[in-house]
Amino acid sequence: MRVLFILFALLPILEIALLINVGSVIGGWNTVGLVILSAFIGAYFVKREGVSTLQTAQEKMQRNEVPGKELVEGLMLVVAGVLLVTPGFITDIFGFLLAMPGSRHFFAAQVSKHMKMRIVTPGMGGGTAGFGQGQSPFGQSPFGDRPNSPNSDGDVFEGEYTDHTTNDPDKRLK
């Protein structure tokens, strides 16, 4: 709640106060021009960095690697773009920090580390990381099976299987 209060109440007040102070020093139209110029430079920079990050992610996917770092950096570039287009100098500073490759890599590493610590995976043993084998946080199986139901016979899954690899003219499944 504190973060939301700062974002939606205090930040606009600080931005307006800073714009008024800068406007009184360099003039109103110069301040408007500076805000517009920073938005255009920021949009160009975010676009350039976004294309670079997208190319890196595509290269990783072609090598059958998960582009996790690139996804986090892409999200940061989206946030940077929003901050840079928003009028104001404080948002521009944070936007440029997220758009610069060096600081973006640092923040992406911190966010990734924080996300890895928060991921909850069922069945990871120990009891601290997960909720137990096949259990959700609400104590039920995520697949809807109940302990006394007819479908709860352990590791047996019923279903049908049809092999379509020989009939596929494009050989996509091989």
Side-chain angles (χ1 to χ4, degrees):
M1 282 306 260
R2 292 180 193 160
V3 174
L4 290 177
F5 177 72
I6 290 171
L7 284 177
F8 293 114
L10 293 180
L11 187 63
I13 293 170
L14 291 174
E15 288 282 14
I16 292 170
L18 185 61
L19 286 170
I20 291 172
N21 285 338
V22 170
S24 67
V25 172
I26 67 170
W29 289 112
N30 291 336
T31 304
V32 170
L34 195 58
V35 167
I36 292 172
L37 181 67
S38 70
F40 279 118
I41 291 172
Y44 169 76
F45 197 64
V46 167
K47 179 182 174 186
R48 189 185 75 181
E49 291 297 315
V51 168
S52 172
T53 303
L54 180 63
Q55 288 173 345
T56 306
Q58 287 176 340
E59 290 170 4
K60 275 193 169 183
M61 287 191 291
Q62 287 175 352
R63 293 188 309 256
N64 291 330
E65 296 177 16
V66 177
K69 179 182 149 195
E70 287 75 16
L71 291 174
V72 173
E73 287 186 10
L75 178 63
M76 289 187 163
L77 284 170
V78 168
V79 172
V82 170
L83 290 174
L84 287 166
V85 173
T86 303
F89 296 118
I90 298 172
T91 55
D92 285 348
I93 291 170
F94 286 119
F96 277 116
L97 279 175
L98 290 177
M100 298 287 220
S103 58
R104 185 178 68 243
H105 296 316
F106 172 76
F107 289 130
Q110 297 301 316
V111 168
S112 295
K113 186 169 82 172
H114 182 71
M115 287 173 54
K116 285 178 187 174
M117 291 172 46
R118 294 208 171 245
I119 290 177
V120 178
T121 54
M124 290 298 291
T128 58
F131 297 107
Q133 187 65 31
Q135 294 293 314
S136 75
F138 306 107
Q140 298 173 344
S141 168
F143 303 108
D145 291 340
R146 290 175 182 75
N148 295 329
S149 71
N151 293 333
S152 64
D153 51 351
D155 293 336
V156 177
F157 294 97
E158 292 188 29
E160 294 181 17
Y161 172 74
T162 306
D163 185 7
H164 291 287
T165 56
T166 58
N167 299 335
D168 189 14
D170 297 330
K171 306 290 188 231
R172 290 176 294 170
L173 299 175
K174 288 192 177 191

